């Protein structure tokens, strides 16, 4: 009898907190990078630190993100969110009470993407400051899945652009693509992959 009562109380506690809150938590780790580095990252008025950094951020919709660095224009955008898939499981298992709890706690929301890379523009009349290393980072991070797929399949528009930025001779293109694919397989983090490629090929 006591055992059954304990199980019932445990079930009530679980359902009242919300499945998404229990399984996923009310925060999520996000990674922020910038070019140049050492930019101050602020989310909804709360300073998180300087890039590069990976920190837990409270889940919630309509949150703004700001990158600031002296000598560069401030970059501001909205953090993109989707509905946490555990929220739907919560509706089935926990009913209205559990889903309401998730809505209040913010666990209903999930950040997607969970990596952010921003190129800051110099605070100058022209706003122009472009370099090959920066372009390589932007392409690899912005088109991560497409770039890696093209590497695995032997080429494509994004891969061709990277090869050109590396200054590789046309006769070495296929060999370079295979080498880049090996580097991609060894580096799952897009920024680290870009940095490795830049270092290996001595891009300046």
């Amino acid at each position: 009898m006591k055992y059954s009562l304990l199980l019932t109380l445990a079930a009530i506690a679980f359902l009242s907190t919300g499945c998404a809150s229990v399984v996923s938590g009310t925060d999520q780790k996000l990674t922020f990078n910038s070019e140049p580095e050492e930019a101050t990252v602020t989310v909804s008025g709360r300073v998180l630190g300087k890039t590069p950094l990976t920190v837990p951020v409270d889940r919630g919709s309509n949150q703004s993100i700001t990158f600031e660095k002296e000598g560069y224009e401030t970059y501001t955008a909205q953090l993109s969110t989707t509905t946490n898939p555990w929220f739907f499981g919560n509706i089935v298992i926990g009913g209205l009470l559990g889903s309401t709890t998730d809505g209040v706690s913010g666990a209903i929301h999930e950040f997607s993407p969970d990596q952010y890379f921003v190129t800051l523009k110099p605070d100058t009349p022209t706003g122009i400051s472009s370099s090959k290393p920066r372009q390589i980072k932007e392409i690899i991070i912005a088109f991560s899945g497409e770039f890696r797929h093209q590497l695995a399949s032997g080429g494509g528009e994004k891969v061709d652009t990277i090869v050109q930025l590396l200054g590789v001779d046309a006769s070495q293109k296929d060999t370079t693509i295979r080498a880049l694919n090996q580097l991609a397989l060894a580096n799952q983090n897009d920024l680290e992959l870009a940095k490795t490629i830049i270092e290996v090929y001595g891009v300046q």
Side-chain angles (χ1 to χ4, degrees):
M1 183 67 178
K2 290 184 179 180
Y3 182 72
S4 298
L5 178 59
L6 287 174
L7 285 178
T8 301
L9 292 174
I12 292 174
F14 177 81
L15 296 178
S16 64
T17 54
C19 287
S21 300
V22 173
V23 176
S24 303
T26 58
D27 58 37
Q28 180 180 344
K29 282 191 175 181
L30 299 182
T31 298
F32 303 99
N33 292 288
S34 67
E35 179 66 36
E37 296 182 346
E38 293 294 309
T40 300
V41 179
T42 303
V43 171
S44 295
R46 183 168 69 94
V47 176
L48 302 182
K50 294 182 180 294
T51 58
L53 78 159
T54 298
V55 292
V57 177
D58 292 336
R59 298 175 189 267
S61 61
N62 301 318
Q63 295 197 74
S64 62
I65 178 173
T66 300
F67 289 76
E68 295 178 288
K69 184 176 177 66
E70 185 175 355
Y72 293 84
E73 294 181 10
T74 298
Y75 175 89
T76 302
Q78 291 290 116
L79 286 175
S80 300
T81 58
T82 59
T83 300
N84 189 328
W86 277 103
F87 173 72
F88 296 107
N90 184 45
I91 293 177
V92 175
I93 300 173
L96 180 61
L97 177 61
S99 60
T100 302
T101 302
D102 285 339
V104 173
S105 69
I108 180 178
H109 303 290
E110 181 176 66
F111 294 116
S112 179
D114 58 5
Q115 292 189 55
Y116 290 84
F117 178 81
V118 171
T119 298
L120 299 176
K121 294 182 179 180
D123 187 13
T124 62
T126 60
I128 297 175
S129 178
S130 182
S131 65
K132 289 183 178 179
R134 181 174 296 182
Q135 292 178 54
I136 290 172
K137 290 178 182 178
E138 290 177 349
I139 292 172
I140 292 176
I141 292 174
F143 303 97
S144 172
E146 184 178 355
F147 175 70
R148 290 175 181 272
H149 175 72
Q150 290 181 5
L151 281 179
S153 59
E157 180 184 354
K158 301 299 183 297
V159 170
D160 290 345
T161 301
I162 293 295
V163 171
Q164 290 176 9
L165 290 171
L166 296 178
V168 175
D169 186 85
S171 62
Q172 296 297 315
K173 178 180 176 180
D174 291 342
T175 301
T176 301
I177 291 175
R178 287 194 293 270
L180 291 176
N181 188 44
Q182 290 302 312
L183 290 176
L185 293 174
N187 290 273
Q188 296 303 312
N189 182 284
D190 295 327
L191 181 60
E192 291 304 316
L193 171 60
K195 288 181 176 178
T196 300
I197 291 175
I198 291 168
E199 181 179 351
V200 169
Y201 287 88
V203 182
Q204 296 181 354

